Amino acid sequence: SRLLQKVHAETNGEIWLVAESFGALIALGVVDRAPSGFLQRLVLINSASALQNQPVLQAASRVLPLSKTLDPHDRVLYPVASFVLWQLLTSRDRLDYAHRPKASQLSGIDVNEVRLDPTLHRVRLAREFVIGSAQLKRVAVPTLVIASAKDRLFDSVREGKRLASALPNAKLRV
């Protein structure tokens, strides 16, 4: 609460919150708790709140922590999973050459930098995050919901439509 007040004071009340994927979950939580008038605009891009409506991903998110038990040092399962996800979720032809993985890397995810424990924590938070229609209807902030029809992880279009219909002052762009 003090942080929100400080941010509001330092920005003269001109706050736009732009958030993508997991960040969109955080933004929804912030806007739900922020005082009226705190935000001037909200932009949600491919919200990970879509996880709530995808049973296969929900189930996978519940099984994922078992990898820590089976491979406590993250030497096999996590690198293999990151490789598989990289292959499924990435359009290599659309990546800038500078962002393509080096020949020595299995994928563009460096498992030494993106550790499993914080990843598991984020997945758990995303799975447990629930903001109901009643809460969304209270959000008066003008909101732009952006949903990619090419999102390979979530059904962002369906979630974007859900959010745009529940948020009273929202527009959807696909």
Side-chain angles (χ1 to χ4, degrees), residues 27-165:
L28 286 167
V30 167
V31 76
D32 184 50
R33 289 166 182 80
S36 179
F38 178 76
L39 294 174
Q40 277 54 62
R41 299 280 186 274
L42 177 63
V43 179
L44 303 172
I45 306 165
N46 295 333
S47 178
S49 56
L51 179 65
Q52 299 303 318
N53 299 310
Q54 294 189 245
V56 172
L57 288 177
Q58 273 280 334
S61 74
R62 293 184 193 292
V63 172
L64 194 58
L66 292 176
S67 67
K68 205 62 182 154
T69 305
L70 299 171
D71 185 15
H73 301 291
D74 309 329
R75 292 192 180 126
V76 178
L77 294 176
Y78 187 49
V80 169
S82 69
F83 171 75
V84 170
L85 283 172
W86 179 260
Q87 300 305 316
L88 292 173
L89 301 176
T90 306
S91 297
R92 288 178 178 234
D93 57 321
R94 297 184 72 198
L95 287 178
D96 182 318
Y97 187 76
H99 294 100
R100 293 183 187 184
K102 298 175 185 119
S104 63
Q105 290 179 297
L106 286 176
S107 74
I109 302 169
D110 185 341
V111 295
N112 293 314
E113 289 185 25
V114 183
R115 302 298 309 154
L116 179 58
D117 290 330
T119 302
L120 290 174
H121 182 68
R122 287 179 62 174
V123 167
R124 183 183 57 77
L125 290 174
R127 185 182 65 241
E128 293 173 357
F129 180 85
V130 177
I131 186 164
S133 294
Q135 289 168 289
L136 291 173
K137 289 193 184 315
R138 290 193 313 254
V139 176
V141 178
T143 302
L144 175 61
V145 179
I146 300 174
S148 171
K150 293 184 178 184
D151 190 331
R152 293 181 173 189
L153 182 60
F154 298 122
D155 188 347
S156 290
V157 172
R158 186 169 100 189
E159 182 62 7
K161 288 177 181 177
R162 183 187 80 83
L163 290 170
S165 68

